[in-house]
Amino acid sequence: MIFHDYYSDVPRGEVDRFVGSQELARLVTVGDDGTPHIGLYPFVYDGTSADLHLVRSDEQIKDLKQRARCVLEVDEVLAVIPSYWVSPEYGGAATAYHRTVIFECEAKVEEDPAAVSAQQERLLARYQPEGGFRPLDPADPLYRGAMAQLAAVKLTIIRWRAKFKLGQNRPAEARRRVIAELRKRGRPSDGRAADALQWTIDSVRDGGSR
């Protein structure tokens, strides 16, 4: 992925807001033979680290025990647009809009049931804050089997890069035309795409970074 300044100059606060709004993240690890492995997981993010869990027998746990360096990727696919929304002749104007954040991380794997239980509580606090479950206790027969099979993974973020590809390479007026076409077309994610493109205009008008 190439990170042009006009796509990657995103304020850290906006990166944190975006990552916190997403429900799943992709963990990328590397196997013994150099093959990349990828998994999609719920996660908890605090700005400096991320928590997620895997089954202990997962190939990615083996990878992380051998090589702690990994990548966590969070993205949102927004829209693909036809070229004629931008140019009446140039087919290369067709494009896709997305927001992507890539974290380079150092992983710590814990298999102690108490650590797994504590992490599960953090995940449940994010995804199920209303409760509706019996308190987690690794000694409870209800949870003992699962806790013995799971591993808690703590990812310490070493470096991050963002790419919010939202038409910033085109004049604001061209983006406004695309916004209007997106709202007119009305596919399920077109409204979110239009709002995202509008953000690139409003943030500059308000004196922020694109």
Side-chain angles (χ1 to χ4, degrees):
M1 184 183 291
I2 189 167
F3 293 84
H4 295 298
D5 288 345
Y6 44 78
Y7 293 144
S8 60
D9 183 15
V10 182
R12 179 58 189 264
E14 187 64 22
V15 169
D16 288 345
R17 185 210 64 75
F18 166 71
V19 173
S21 73
Q22 300 303 300
E23 295 194 334
L24 297 175
R26 292 175 176 84
L27 176 67
V28 183
T29 60
V30 178
D32 290 336
D33 63 355
T35 301
H37 297 142
I38 188 166
L40 192 62
Y41 305 102
F43 68 102
V44 175
Y45 170 74
D46 66 6
T48 61
S49 65
D51 277 318
L52 47 85
H53 72 276
L54 288 77
V55 175
R56 294 183 191 182
S57 57
D58 193 299
E59 62 186 0
Q60 290 194 287
I61 290 295
K62 179 183 177 182
D63 294 346
L64 292 174
K65 287 181 176 179
Q66 295 295 320
R67 287 163 296 279
R69 291 298 295 269
C70 60
V71 163
L72 189 71
E73 188 260 7
V74 183
D75 67 61
E76 180 182 36
V77 178
L78 291 168
V80 175
I81 68 163
S83 62
Y84 51 80
W85 284 7
V86 177
S87 170
E89 295 183 347
Y90 178 54
T95 194
Y97 299 128
H98 64 89
R99 288 184 276 215
T100 301
V101 179
I102 296 173
F103 296 110
E104 297 174 17
C105 305
E106 191 88 12
K108 179 181 180 182
V109 178
E110 291 189 276
E111 297 181 348
D112 177 73
V116 173
S117 177
Q119 190 196 63
Q120 291 296 296
E121 289 178 348
R122 292 193 292 276
L123 285 162
L124 283 164
R126 179 190 177 194
Y127 290 93
Q128 195 174 321
E130 71 276 14
F133 56 89
R134 196 153 91 196
L136 273 69
D137 179 352
D140 186 332
L142 180 64
Y143 294 114
R144 187 184 302 132
M147 298 299 175
Q149 297 180 49
L150 296 176
V153 179
K154 182 82 166 183
L155 303 177
T156 299
I157 297 167
I158 298 169
R159 181 187 179 208
W160 65 272
R161 293 183 291 172
K163 182 173 183 177
F164 283 21
K165 187 173 183 291
L166 302 170
Q168 300 96 316
N169 60 322
R170 302 200 179 279
E173 187 53 41
R175 279 175 270 165
R176 289 189 183 97
R177 290 196 300 271
V178 172
I179 289 168
E181 292 289 354
L182 285 165
R183 297 201 188 282
K184 179 180 176 182
R185 185 173 68 178
R187 290 179 182 173
S189 64
D190 282 351
R192 288 187 293 113
D195 290 344
L197 266 68
Q198 186 65 49
W199 169 80
T200 70
I201 298 170
D202 294 344
S203 63
V204 172
R205 184 180 61 204
D206 295 340
S209 174
R210 282 185 295 184

